[in-house]
């Protein structure tokens, strides 16, 4: 039987499937209406039961890659030869990397705006990675502002290593500050950049 504390952690994070494609084509009004749902904390238990996924089934890196693809809709997640689960930055998926203290403020601002999306924390060096759908390149002025504050946008054809645990301590040295949610679109790059510039 799964320990209670571990089971509750899964119940929190296995919540409503990301679709980069749906984020690119979904009308803005429709996307906003979806974000008025109750928080993932409020619907976690019911969603966990509906998904019928148990933590003990996620025993291998391949299990985690399959879960990230099928449950959360993150495209082309696969396992590398060293055994890491990675998300390729293709199909318009991009990553925004920020210093950890600033990343906390950015996630707070995105939450207020209703477009938080999945956010990873990396321990060494302390950085946050925001997963987004690329909808264009920021202006040169904004890129300069971002670079001046230690923020960079992940290069196309790069990879983001995903954790094989929903806890804070993982073998990959990174964890979810906000895990992917089922049936929730990734935010647009422009939405995250707008939120960042508003607090700089």
């Amino acid at each position: 039987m799964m320990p209670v504390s571990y089971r509750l952690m899964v119940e929190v994070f296995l919540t409503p499937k990301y679709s980069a494609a749906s984020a690119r084509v979904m009308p803005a009004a429709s996307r906003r209406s979806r974000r008025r749902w109750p928080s993932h904390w409020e619907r976690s238990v019911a969603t966990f039961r509906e998904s019928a996924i148990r933590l003990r089934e996620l025993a291998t890196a391949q299990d985690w890659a399959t879960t990230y693809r099928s449950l959360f809709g993150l495209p082309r997640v696969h396992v590398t030869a060293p055994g890491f689960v990675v998300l390729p930055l293709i199909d318009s998926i991009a990553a925004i990397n920020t210093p950890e203290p600033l990343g906390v403020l950015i996630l707070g601002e995105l939450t207020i705006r209703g477009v938080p999306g999945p956010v990873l924390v990396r321990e060494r060096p302390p950085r946050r990675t925001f997963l987004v759908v690329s909808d264009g390149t920021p202006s040169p002025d904004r890129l300069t502002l971002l670079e001046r504050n230690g923020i960079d946008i992940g290069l196309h054809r790069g990879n983001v290593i995903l954790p094989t645990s929903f806890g804070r301590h993982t073998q990959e040295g990174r964890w979810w500050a906000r895990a992917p949610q089922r049936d929730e679109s990734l935010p647009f790059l422009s939405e995250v950049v707008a939120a960042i510039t508003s607090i700089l």
Side-chain angles (χ1 to χ4, degrees):
M1 183 174 181
M2 197 184 310
V4 173
S5 60
Y6 216 14
R7 185 171 65 248
L8 289 177
M9 187 171 294
V10 179
E11 290 175 350
V12 168
F13 288 115
L14 291 183
T15 58
K17 175 171 176 184
Y18 271 104
S19 171
S22 65
R24 291 195 295 272
V25 301
M26 189 181 300
S30 174
R31 294 176 65 230
R32 284 194 297 270
S33 66
R34 288 173 63 150
R35 294 188 180 111
R36 296 194 186 101
W37 290 2
S39 72
H40 65 286
W41 299 96
E42 295 171 330
R43 63 180 184 266
S44 60
V45 175
T47 305
F48 175 74
R49 289 170 179 163
E50 291 170 7
S51 66
I53 289 180
R54 292 180 171 81
L55 184 61
R56 63 175 174 266
E57 297 174 357
L58 302 179
T60 68
Q62 190 58 59
D63 292 338
W64 282 95
T66 301
T67 297
Y68 280 125
R69 289 194 309 268
S70 61
L71 183 63
F72 300 127
L74 295 177
R76 306 198 189 196
V77 175
H78 63 276
V79 181
T80 63
F84 289 113
V85 177
V86 299
L87 168 67
L89 298 181
I90 54 178
D91 294 338
S92 297
I93 300 296
I96 302 177
N97 302 300
T98 74
E100 166 61 3
L102 181 57
V104 174
L105 298 177
I106 295 169
L107 178 55
E109 178 64 22
L110 290 170
T111 301
I112 292 172
R113 295 177 178 224
V115 287
V119 183
L120 280 165
V121 177
R122 187 172 60 200
E123 295 176 356
R124 296 191 187 93
R127 304 274 288 172
R128 289 204 173 198
T129 299
F130 296 76
L131 301 182
V132 299
V133 172
S134 179
D135 59 341
T137 303
S139 67
D141 289 344
R142 286 199 167 184
L143 286 175
T144 300
L145 177 64
L146 296 178
E147 291 173 3
R148 196 160 50 229
N149 287 274
I151 300 170
D152 66 86
I153 300 174
L155 296 175
H156 183 63
R157 299 190 184 282
N159 291 306
V160 175
I161 298 177
L162 304 179
T164 52
S165 169
F166 289 117
R168 182 160 182 158
H169 301 288
T170 70
Q171 63 181 358
E172 295 83 9
R174 61 200 65 209
W175 53 277
W176 291 110
R178 186 180 188 277
Q181 310 289 302
R182 289 184 60 211
D183 301 321
E184 183 181 74
S185 301
L186 289 171
F188 286 116
L189 171 63
S190 60
E191 292 176 318
V192 179
V193 170
I196 293 173
T197 55
S198 73
I199 63 176
L200 292 179

